[in-house]
Amino acid sequence: MKKQRSPAGPRAKALGLGIGGIVLFFLIWEATPRLGLVSDRYLPPASEVLVRLAQYFTEAAFWKDVADTMTSWALGLAIATVAAIVVGLIIGSSRFLRRATHTTIEFLRPIPSVALIPLAVLIFGTSIESTLLLVVYASFWQVLLQLLYGIADVDAVANDTAKSYGLGRLARVRYVIWPTALPYLMTGLRLAAAVALILAITAELIIGTPGLGKQIALTQSGGAISSMYALVLATGLIGVLINLAARIIEKRVLSWHPSVRGEVVL
Amino acid sequence: MSPLKRVAYFFGLPIVLIVLWWALSFGSTNFFVPKPFELAQTLWTTWIGERFFEDVLPSLGRLAVGLLFAIGLGIVLGLLIGSTRWLRNLLEPMLEFFRAIPPPVLVPLLMLLIGVNDSMKVAVIISGAIWPVLLNTVEGVRAVDSVLNDSCRSYGIRGFARIRYFVLPAVTPQIMAGVRQSLSIGLILMVISEMFASSSGLGFTIVQFQRNFAIPEMWSGIVVLGLIGLGLALIFQFVERRVLHWYHGLKEITHDS
Amino acid sequence: AGTDATTPAADGDALTPVTVGVIPIADTAPLYLGLEQGFFEEEGLKLTIETATGGAAIVPAVVSGDYEFGFSNLISLMVANDKGLPLEVVSPAVASTGDVDSDFGAVIVKGDSPVTSLADLDGGTVSGNSLNNIVDTVMRSSIDRLGGDSSSISFVEIPFPDASAAVENGQVDAAFVVEPFVTAALESGQRVISYGYADFDVNLDVAAYFSSAATVSADPEMVTKFQAAMTKSLEYAQANPDAVRAIIATFTATPEEVLAKIVLPKFPTEFNVDAVTALGDAALEYGVVETAPDMSTFLP
Amino acid sequence: MTVSDTTVNRPVKTVPMLSVRGLQKIYKVPGGEVEAVRDLTFDLAEGELVCLVGPSGSGKTTLLKCISGLMEQTSGTVELAGSKVTGPPKSMAVVFQEYGRSLFPWMTVRGNVELPLKNQKVPKAERTALVDAALKSVGLDHVPKSYPWQLSGGMQQRVAIARAVAYRPQVLLMDEPFAAVDAQTRADLEDLIRTIWKQLGVTILFVTHDIDESVYLGERVIVLSSSPTVVQEDLKIDLPAERDQLNTRALPRFMELRSHVYAEIQRAKLGPVTEQITAQRKAARK
Amino acid sequence: MTVSDTTVNRPVKTVPMLSVRGLQKIYKVPGGEVEAVRDLTFDLAEGELVCLVGPSGSGKTTLLKCISGLMEQTSGTVELAGSKVTGPPKSMAVVFQEYGRSLFPWMTVRGNVELPLKNQKVPKAERTALVDAALKSVGLDHVPKSYPWQLSGGMQQRVAIARAVAYRPQVLLMDEPFAAVDAQTRADLEDLIRTIWKQLGVTILFVTHDIDESVYLGERVIVLSSSPTVVQEDLKIDLPAERDQLNTRALPRFMELRSHVYAEIQRAKLGPVTEQITAQRKAARK
Ligand SMILES: Nc1ncnc2c1ncn2[C@@H]1O[C@H](COP(=O)(O)OP(=O)(O)OP(=O)(O)O)[C@@H](O)[C@H]1O
Ligand SMILES: Nc1ncnc2c1ncn2[C@@H]1O[C@H](COP(=O)(O)OP(=O)(O)OP(=O)(O)O)[C@@H](O)[C@H]1O
Ligand SMILES: O=[N+]([O-])[O-]
Ligand SMILES: [Mg+2]
Ligand SMILES: [Mg+2]
């Protein structure tokens, strides 16, 4: 960030564009019911929903719901990520394990978390553990798979270098494999973060544990349509914020990576 | 690898797990907990026959269409967004917004906008399966090798040729990681799309079984999902081997540990 | 209200904790009222209400003993019974109003639809919130009774909140909805062609409270207490519609102005055995169950 | 502006093919700046073959990237045949120092060499002929179907050279193109470059570390100072146009020139002559 | 087995530090095989400094990878101090030809050099001293906090050299380690290698394309034939132990040796002498 840059720095410009994109989206949304493309009884105009959302922002109960949802999200994502990293590094650094686990992983991955709800409730009751099980199950695979691809991307010369200097398996994981896989992992984390949020809300919605999901279910069954869209909007906003946080982390941990270095520009 | 070894790798761990499961569920009388033998039987009686053609095949058809669109759109949008910074800045917040919306609340909206039909279900599949491809493509494009990029520029390789000969192949390893994720997510969303506004399909049937306490049948449906996932993974592996043979050659020289 | 000389000492230690899993809709208002009015404490129960969107979470929780009781529609309970799931019906919950011209569940059509009766739906598409369940069973039965052919109709699943839109967009010809969506549909100019439950039987029991066989045999006394408290609650609710409307506002998100207009169901204290038997027969006829439930064991 | 008496300052009558004026490049790095190139000014006439030598890290690669329009300079201008370079010009080819990373690993050797021609829509038959000739000239006609990662370092580098040669550019920039090949191959490739240069009249800017090579190949040798970089010397190589590995290298004049360049490089490395040169230049401008 | 009269066949009394016997390496490629190395046999005594030269693609890198245990040979054995090499030995360091890819882009220059020491649990203070000294010796003490991709090619290569030097291995394998540095730096680094060699008694196998360099540096020069590769010549360099850039290179014996190596390489490139050599060897065995 040197002075020579234009007064509106690139970061400000990026932010401006991002906000522009969102404004555009709201305009389209506003127009859709207003122009009668869809009845406003089923899709209220954006302005109405935004007003409702602003109202929510002043309610303590709403923030309690947000906190509940974010707790399941954060816990679930953390467990899934740690588990996936441990499993991924173990499987990824052994050809035998990679081959032996392939069938099982591919069989388990497409099983929808939602289908596991009865089992989860049976085992854990309707406590937070049930929600966590669903969140963890769904987001675990995203991180694991990305990590496995990341590990496969290790540069042969870099790996040889490490080996020739006597770096053992663990040291290679720490100093070579991990940094190489990190960009893939970050993508996995961003994928998993959204899936975890989706599952936290879906689980609340179906199991009925407190949180945004339960409120969405209530507003749906209560016919409070603008409230429902306001909550959906809140969910989307949380997604945007999570991504923002992920980008900031990425900037820090991947400062050396071409995608962040930004050498390649069009 | 010898065919025998291949078979051993393929079935080894699953067999171990099934035996373990059998042992653990041996004494159980719980209604909701499936048992391997019972399940295998149910699998056969439930899914072989009419139901295969009326529920499974149409679902697979929608899945195939959805996945093709998700992958195609994901790659095209990913290439565009990844290589154009202003476009990325413009769209990223919006895309992240949609990515965070749970399908169960997205479905009613799609129903409203598209209608109660196959297109809606395909749209649900696309709405979830596109993200891994899109994100991986965007990140891959952002990380292309700078020297290769310079080579292209200095030889005047631009526009479509640049995409075709440089960006796309360079990003393919990462796209493949995304596609592999998309396959299973697409399958999950196929189920979710059939939970609403539906009257047939694999997902619909599984949910029906669940609601009607046909628990072994429900588990057998989940096994079918797993098997389809496995099938997709095998097809995928076959394609990946061909598309990425250069990459495996490049990387596996020393990966034999 | 409702304190009674025989009330056991209201000291917390003596109370037996019970958890009931319900769907947060108007139908379960008596339970909330009973809690508010202290009917459960009077019986020595410390009531906790847990909510879920459907049976997917409630039934396993009751089976595992996590919840003592649950709320479910009667067809689901018949299906469970049919499948050998060890559930027992313990108390009525909600029933049709007894008025064929005003009920809490209705089949709606578009304002300008030529359809005026269930019998006109032949060959059309009709939605219900869940197929092979109570909603389509009563509709099929009424259609066939009125001379239509229910087998010519394709039923699709659309959740109640989204059904009115599907009707309006012409995606379905008719939809079964419950309150508050009946009121909302009428206000938006849609028409009711049948009050589905009442049309089947004016006094049809729609849902019930249930427990697991294990819970019932382990603590029959607690079940009896729950039944007694439920009876008080249902009676109270039936007698105080304004209190019902007021309490619904506390556990649903239905806007107050809508709540003032919705049709409330009936909260019976006894099952209408004839209606339930008819429902069981209909379930058998339309293949929802393989054997009709035996009322002497199915109902408490 | 002259530093030594052998330095030339040839009056350029026509528009020079390549003209670099006051070029400066500052890299922005977190927590500071690196001035890689301070102030470079020189011209290449059409059809000239100029070698560029300079200490490691003196900014030769940086300079080439700016000339080829791949990187924006901080100040100064680069002109190609009279018009400003803002992006990579079509008529220019670059052989990169990081040859390993400049080849497409998903394409065969042939595919790599053919790609720029295909992109230029050169007809199939002509393309095949050009590619075959280029591969043969670098001694790689036996591996057209191999992938770059199946080749040795020197072979990879030769593929990159073949690609540039087959492209037939007007201006050819080469960044230490022979660093990874053996002495004999190097000699052959040097002669190849001179042959192509004479036959096609291409303008060549050739970065090398090998002093003998710079003298043997070039018509001029530009010596860069160490970073931050200025032109330390611009030396005319007054050797006969017909050169050969044995006789030319044995000429006394060759020895003189190589000693001179060697001394200059040593001087460049030892201390920053920058201030001194800048002062001189300033004085000259006044 | 001797090809020329200057070739030596020194009787090795003690167990050699490095012993390569009948090494063959065949790469499997889709649709065939590439025999990169056919049959290599030679020894390095403890503390020897041997240079390896050979045409581009003759299998030098392949050989080094087999010796360092990074790649399995197809047949033959490699022994280090009498025991078979099956994986990378701890006491060996390698400087790779692809220096750019052998540096970790996520670590600073200092981090890269320090990593192997850290991994060996060298105490902090000693480590710092070793790293500082190594960076200073390659002339990079001013950029410890830079990342490899912020450095010029030659600087990157010197980081890789510094890493090997700081590691203080018993055996050092270097694959064209000076390919990307300028003449002056190259001379300095050559002297650095000889100094380290003498001070630490390390055994060095040094691959180079520069014939002068091989003669100047080595106590022996092994010339490889072109692929499929055998040892074409094993030449003792009988120059004085104390060498310096000006005087040693001016010695008539130096000139003789370099001409000899040059001729050998040319011969290696021209035709496969393989058959001839194999025949000789077979005869010698009988
Ligand atoms: N991306 C970058 N960021 C920061 N500094 C850089 C970058 N690229 C190069 N430099 C610095 O610029 C200077 C010149 O680098 P350049 O690569 O142009 O040198 P060079 O003359 O090509 O050297 P060599 O002969 O070793 O290849 C060096 O000091 C280097 O550290
Ligand atoms: N991974 C590989 N797959 C197939 N062939 C290979 C592979 N690596 C090297 N080769 C072949 O083996 C031969 C020797 O390669 P190597 O890299 O060892 O040569 P080199 O002597 O180091 O050459 P240079 O001096 O050019 O670096 C070459 O013909 C090359 O094409
Ligand atoms: O796993 N999911 O149900 O999305
Ligand atoms: Mg350079
Ligand atoms: Mg090599």
Side-chain angles (χ1 to χ4, degrees), chain A residues 111-115 138 195 198-199, chain B residues 103 188 192:
Chain A
I111 293 177
S113 258
V114 229
V195 168
I198 286 172
L199 261 295
Chain B
I188 288 171
I192 291 182

Side-chain angles (χ1 to χ4, degrees), chain E residues 20-174:
Chain E
V20 177
R21 296 262 155 270
L23 193 91
Q24 184 196 30
K25 173 71 196 183
I26 298 175
Y27 286 103
K28 299 230 156 38
V29 292
E33 297 184 337
V34 176
E35 185 179 15
V37 172
R38 173 158 296 176
D39 182 3
L40 284 181
T41 302
F42 62 89
D43 289 332
L44 262 69
E46 187 173 348
E48 251 192 320
L49 198 176
V50 175
C51 290
L52 197 67
V53 295
S56 177
S58 62
K60 302 178 294 297
T61 301
T62 304
L63 169 64
L64 252 53
K65 279 195 184 160
C66 291
I67 293 179
S68 58
L70 290 169
M71 188 192 256
E72 230 179 297
Q73 57 270 27
T74 309
S75 68
T77 55
V78 175
E79 284 183 9
L80 182 71
S83 56
K84 233 182 199 167
V85 170
T86 49
K90 275 249 159 98
S91 55
M92 202 184 260
V94 186
V95 176
F96 290 87
Q97 184 176 14
E98 291 169 282
Y99 54 91
R101 284 171 65 194
S102 93
L103 297 176
F104 303 119
W106 45 84
M107 286 179 184
T108 59
V109 165
R110 168 165 220 85
N112 267 286
V113 177
E114 202 175 12
L115 178 61
L117 300 172
K118 217 162 157 181
N119 186 58
Q120 297 287 310
K121 309 249 182 316
V122 175
K124 176 93 186 154
E126 192 186 336
R127 216 161 69 202
T128 310
L130 281 170
V131 173
D132 286 345
L135 284 176
K136 200 170 155 58
S137 68
V138 299
L140 284 179
D141 39 346
H142 58 300
V143 290
K145 283 186 191 156
S146 293
Y147 285 87
W149 37 272
Q150 294 174 330
L151 302 182
S152 77
M155 292 159 95
Q156 289 177 18
Q157 197 162 32
R158 284 181 279 153
V159 176
I161 295 167
R163 179 166 60 184
V165 166
Y167 188 64
R168 317 228 137 183
Q170 262 185 289
V171 177
L172 179 54
L173 309 180
M174 305 180 93

Side-chain angles (χ1 to χ4, degrees), chain C residues 36-55:
Chain C
E36 183 196 65
Q37 296 298 323
F39 299 144
F40 289 89
E41 266 185 43
E42 284 168 21
E43 295 297 332
L45 299 177
K46 180 155 177 18
L47 177 69
T48 308
I49 301 173
E50 294 285 356
T51 59
T53 39

